[in-house]
Amino acid sequence: QVQLMESGGGLVQPGGSLRLSCAASGSIFEIYTMGWYRQAPGKQRKMIASIARGGSTDYVESVKGRFTISRDNAKNTVYLQMNSLKPEDTAVYYCNFWPPWDDSWGQGTQVTVSS
């Protein structure tokens, strides 16, 4: 199976920025649309951003204009630049294919936005 490893999370104050990375273990990554997902405390995991093989992107309304998803197929890596962070962005962030592969969920990376 393809292993996906998220990194870059941490504790940040409201209004701050973080850049998350998602590295894939194999080159098959380049074929598929990729997505960033997040799961806030007490809520279900949901997709917040996606990027297709050719580079087209889509975002959930709550992050549009603040988050930017990008990919580097040569490095088997997907990024999420998060600006103007809000407390409601606090969650565990995951990457996966879209549609997601059940056996490719990683451990995620924690993002905490707090004063």
Short mmCIF file of all heavy atoms in Angstrom, two decimals, residues 18-50:
data_model
loop_
_atom_site.label_atom_id
_atom_site.label_comp_id
_atom_site.label_asym_id
_atom_site.label_seq_id
_atom_site.Cartn_x
_atom_site.Cartn_y
_atom_site.Cartn_z
N LEU A 18 1.05 28.34 8.84
CA LEU A 18 1.76 27.07 8.86
C LEU A 18 1.77 26.50 7.45
O LEU A 18 0.86 26.78 6.66
CB LEU A 18 1.09 26.06 9.80
CG LEU A 18 1.25 26.25 11.30
CD1 LEU A 18 0.35 25.25 12.03
CD2 LEU A 18 2.70 26.06 11.72
N ARG A 19 2.77 25.70 7.15
CA ARG A 19 2.84 25.00 5.88
C ARG A 19 2.96 23.51 6.16
O ARG A 19 3.94 23.06 6.74
CB ARG A 19 4.04 25.47 5.05
CG ARG A 19 4.08 24.88 3.64
CD ARG A 19 5.28 25.44 2.88
NE ARG A 19 5.31 25.04 1.49
CZ ARG A 19 6.33 24.38 0.92
NH1 ARG A 19 7.40 24.07 1.62
NH2 ARG A 19 6.27 24.07 -0.37
N LEU A 20 1.96 22.76 5.74
CA LEU A 20 1.94 21.33 5.93
C LEU A 20 2.48 20.62 4.69
O LEU A 20 2.31 21.09 3.58
CB LEU A 20 0.52 20.82 6.20
CG LEU A 20 -0.25 21.50 7.34
CD1 LEU A 20 -1.60 20.83 7.53
CD2 LEU A 20 0.56 21.49 8.63
N SER A 21 3.12 19.48 4.92
CA SER A 21 3.63 18.66 3.83
C SER A 21 3.09 17.25 3.95
O SER A 21 2.84 16.76 5.05
CB SER A 21 5.16 18.62 3.86
OG SER A 21 5.72 19.90 3.66
N CYS A 22 2.92 16.60 2.83
CA CYS A 22 2.47 15.22 2.77
C CYS A 22 3.35 14.49 1.77
O CYS A 22 3.32 14.79 0.57
CB CYS A 22 1.00 15.15 2.35
SG CYS A 22 0.41 13.49 1.96
N ALA A 23 4.13 13.55 2.27
CA ALA A 23 5.06 12.80 1.44
C ALA A 23 4.55 11.38 1.22
O ALA A 23 4.18 10.69 2.17
CB ALA A 23 6.44 12.77 2.08
N ALA A 24 4.56 10.94 -0.02
CA ALA A 24 4.12 9.60 -0.37
C ALA A 24 5.31 8.67 -0.52
O ALA A 24 6.40 9.08 -0.92
CB ALA A 24 3.32 9.62 -1.66
N SER A 25 5.09 7.40 -0.20
CA SER A 25 6.17 6.42 -0.23
C SER A 25 6.49 5.92 -1.63
O SER A 25 7.55 5.34 -1.84
CB SER A 25 5.83 5.23 0.67
OG SER A 25 4.66 4.57 0.23
N GLY A 26 5.60 6.12 -2.59
CA GLY A 26 5.80 5.62 -3.92
C GLY A 26 5.36 6.59 -5.00
O GLY A 26 4.62 7.53 -4.73
N SER A 27 5.79 6.33 -6.21
CA SER A 27 5.55 7.24 -7.32
C SER A 27 4.13 7.15 -7.89
O SER A 27 3.76 7.99 -8.72
CB SER A 27 6.57 7.00 -8.43
OG SER A 27 6.47 5.68 -8.93
N ILE A 28 3.35 6.17 -7.49
CA ILE A 28 1.98 6.04 -7.97
C ILE A 28 1.13 7.26 -7.59
O ILE A 28 0.11 7.54 -8.21
CB ILE A 28 1.34 4.74 -7.45
CG1 ILE A 28 0.06 4.42 -8.23
CG2 ILE A 28 1.08 4.82 -5.96
CD1 ILE A 28 -0.52 3.06 -7.92
N PHE A 29 1.58 7.98 -6.60
CA PHE A 29 0.95 9.21 -6.14
C PHE A 29 0.60 10.16 -7.29
O PHE A 29 -0.45 10.80 -7.28
CB PHE A 29 1.91 9.87 -5.14
CG PHE A 29 1.81 11.36 -5.03
CD1 PHE A 29 0.97 11.94 -4.09
CD2 PHE A 29 2.57 12.18 -5.85
CE1 PHE A 29 0.89 13.31 -3.96
CE2 PHE A 29 2.50 13.55 -5.73
CZ PHE A 29 1.65 14.12 -4.79
N GLU A 30 1.46 10.25 -8.27
CA GLU A 30 1.33 11.26 -9.32
C GLU A 30 0.11 11.08 -10.21
O GLU A 30 -0.27 12.01 -10.91
CB GLU A 30 2.59 11.28 -10.19
CG GLU A 30 2.75 10.04 -11.03
CD GLU A 30 4.08 10.00 -11.77
OE1 GLU A 30 5.05 10.59 -11.26
OE2 GLU A 30 4.15 9.37 -12.84
N ILE A 31 -0.51 9.93 -10.17
CA ILE A 31 -1.64 9.63 -11.04
C ILE A 31 -2.93 10.28 -10.56
O ILE A 31 -3.80 10.62 -11.37
CB ILE A 31 -1.84 8.10 -11.15
CG1 ILE A 31 -0.60 7.43 -11.73
CG2 ILE A 31 -3.07 7.76 -11.96
CD1 ILE A 31 -0.65 5.92 -11.71
N TYR A 32 -3.05 10.48 -9.27
CA TYR A 32 -4.34 10.76 -8.66
C TYR A 32 -4.50 12.19 -8.18
O TYR A 32 -3.55 12.89 -7.84
CB TYR A 32 -4.55 9.82 -7.47
CG TYR A 32 -4.56 8.36 -7.84
CD1 TYR A 32 -3.42 7.59 -7.72
CD2 TYR A 32 -5.72 7.76 -8.29
CE1 TYR A 32 -3.42 6.25 -8.06
CE2 TYR A 32 -5.74 6.42 -8.64
CZ TYR A 32 -4.58 5.67 -8.52
OH TYR A 32 -4.59 4.34 -8.86
N THR A 33 -5.77 12.58 -8.11
CA THR A 33 -6.13 13.79 -7.37
C THR A 33 -5.83 13.56 -5.89
O THR A 33 -6.09 12.49 -5.35
CB THR A 33 -7.62 14.10 -7.56
OG1 THR A 33 -7.86 14.46 -8.92
CG2 THR A 33 -8.06 15.25 -6.66
N MET A 34 -5.25 14.57 -5.25
CA MET A 34 -4.91 14.49 -3.83
C MET A 34 -5.73 15.50 -3.04
O MET A 34 -6.15 16.53 -3.57
CB MET A 34 -3.43 14.77 -3.61
CG MET A 34 -2.49 13.83 -4.33
SD MET A 34 -2.66 12.11 -3.76
CE MET A 34 -2.19 12.26 -2.03
N GLY A 35 -5.94 15.18 -1.79
CA GLY A 35 -6.71 16.07 -0.94
C GLY A 35 -6.13 16.21 0.45
O GLY A 35 -5.41 15.33 0.93
N TRP A 36 -6.41 17.34 1.06
CA TRP A 36 -6.17 17.54 2.48
C TRP A 36 -7.49 17.43 3.21
O TRP A 36 -8.50 18.00 2.77
CB TRP A 36 -5.52 18.89 2.77
CG TRP A 36 -4.05 18.93 2.50
CD1 TRP A 36 -3.43 19.40 1.39
CD2 TRP A 36 -3.02 18.46 3.38
NE1 TRP A 36 -2.07 19.26 1.51
CE2 TRP A 36 -1.79 18.69 2.73
CE3 TRP A 36 -3.02 17.87 4.65
CZ2 TRP A 36 -0.56 18.35 3.30
CZ3 TRP A 36 -1.79 17.53 5.21
CH2 TRP A 36 -0.59 17.77 4.53
N TYR A 37 -7.47 16.71 4.31
CA TYR A 37 -8.63 16.48 5.14
C TYR A 37 -8.31 16.93 6.55
O TYR A 37 -7.15 16.99 6.95
CB TYR A 37 -8.99 14.99 5.18
CG TYR A 37 -9.22 14.34 3.83
CD1 TYR A 37 -8.17 14.06 2.97
CD2 TYR A 37 -10.51 13.98 3.43
CE1 TYR A 37 -8.37 13.46 1.75
CE2 TYR A 37 -10.73 13.37 2.20
CZ TYR A 37 -9.66 13.11 1.37
OH TYR A 37 -9.87 12.50 0.15
N ARG A 38 -9.34 17.24 7.32
CA ARG A 38 -9.10 17.55 8.73
C ARG A 38 -10.24 17.03 9.58
O ARG A 38 -11.38 16.89 9.12
CB ARG A 38 -8.90 19.05 8.95
CG ARG A 38 -10.13 19.92 8.77
CD ARG A 38 -9.74 21.39 8.93
NE ARG A 38 -10.89 22.28 8.81
CZ ARG A 38 -10.80 23.60 8.77
NH1 ARG A 38 -9.61 24.20 8.84
NH2 ARG A 38 -11.90 24.33 8.67
N GLN A 39 -9.90 16.74 10.82
CA GLN A 39 -10.87 16.27 11.79
C GLN A 39 -10.73 17.09 13.06
O GLN A 39 -9.73 16.97 13.76
CB GLN A 39 -10.69 14.78 12.08
CG GLN A 39 -11.76 14.21 12.99
CD GLN A 39 -11.70 12.70 13.07
OE1 GLN A 39 -10.67 12.10 12.77
NE2 GLN A 39 -12.80 12.09 13.47
N ALA A 40 -11.71 17.92 13.32
CA ALA A 40 -11.74 18.73 14.52
C ALA A 40 -12.29 17.90 15.68
O ALA A 40 -12.99 16.91 15.46
CB ALA A 40 -12.59 19.97 14.31
N PRO A 41 -11.99 18.31 16.92
CA PRO A 41 -12.48 17.56 18.07
C PRO A 41 -14.00 17.41 18.04
O PRO A 41 -14.73 18.39 17.86
CB PRO A 41 -12.04 18.41 19.26
CG PRO A 41 -10.82 19.12 18.77
CD PRO A 41 -11.12 19.42 17.32
N GLY A 42 -14.47 16.18 18.19
CA GLY A 42 -15.90 15.92 18.22
C GLY A 42 -16.60 15.96 16.88
O GLY A 42 -17.83 15.87 16.84
N LYS A 43 -15.85 16.08 15.79
CA LYS A 43 -16.45 16.17 14.47
C LYS A 43 -15.88 15.11 13.54
O LYS A 43 -14.84 14.52 13.81
CB LYS A 43 -16.23 17.56 13.87
CG LYS A 43 -16.89 18.68 14.64
CD LYS A 43 -16.73 20.01 13.94
CE LYS A 43 -17.44 21.12 14.70
NZ LYS A 43 -17.29 22.43 14.00
N GLN A 44 -16.57 14.86 12.44
CA GLN A 44 -16.12 13.90 11.45
C GLN A 44 -15.03 14.49 10.56
O GLN A 44 -14.97 15.70 10.36
CB GLN A 44 -17.30 13.43 10.60
CG GLN A 44 -18.36 12.65 11.35
CD GLN A 44 -19.41 12.07 10.42
OE1 GLN A 44 -19.10 11.68 9.29
NE2 GLN A 44 -20.62 12.01 10.89
N ARG A 45 -14.22 13.61 10.02
CA ARG A 45 -13.18 14.04 9.09
C ARG A 45 -13.82 14.47 7.77
O ARG A 45 -14.73 13.81 7.26
CB ARG A 45 -12.21 12.88 8.85
CG ARG A 45 -11.06 13.20 7.92
CD ARG A 45 -9.92 12.22 8.10
NE ARG A 45 -10.33 10.84 8.04
CZ ARG A 45 -9.59 9.82 8.48
NH1 ARG A 45 -8.41 10.05 9.04
NH2 ARG A 45 -10.05 8.59 8.38
N LYS A 46 -13.33 15.57 7.21
CA LYS A 46 -13.86 16.04 5.94
C LYS A 46 -12.75 16.63 5.10
O LYS A 46 -11.73 17.10 5.61
CB LYS A 46 -14.96 17.07 6.16
CG LYS A 46 -14.51 18.36 6.82
CD LYS A 46 -15.67 19.33 6.96
CE LYS A 46 -15.23 20.64 7.59
NZ LYS A 46 -16.38 21.58 7.73
N MET A 47 -12.95 16.61 3.80
CA MET A 47 -11.98 17.19 2.89
C MET A 47 -12.12 18.71 2.86
O MET A 47 -13.24 19.22 2.81
CB MET A 47 -12.14 16.61 1.48
CG MET A 47 -11.03 17.04 0.53
SD MET A 47 -11.00 16.10 -1.02
CE MET A 47 -12.58 16.56 -1.69
N ILE A 48 -11.00 19.39 2.86
CA ILE A 48 -11.03 20.85 2.83
C ILE A 48 -10.38 21.43 1.58
O ILE A 48 -10.64 22.59 1.24
CB ILE A 48 -10.38 21.46 4.09
CG1 ILE A 48 -8.92 21.02 4.21
CG2 ILE A 48 -11.17 21.08 5.34
CD1 ILE A 48 -8.13 21.79 5.25
N ALA A 49 -9.54 20.65 0.91
CA ALA A 49 -8.87 21.13 -0.29
C ALA A 49 -8.44 19.95 -1.14
O ALA A 49 -8.12 18.88 -0.61
CB ALA A 49 -7.65 21.99 0.05
N SER A 50 -8.43 20.13 -2.45
CA SER A 50 -8.00 19.08 -3.35
C SER A 50 -7.23 19.68 -4.51
O SER A 50 -7.41 20.85 -4.85
CB SER A 50 -9.18 18.25 -3.86
OG SER A 50 -10.03 19.03 -4.67
#
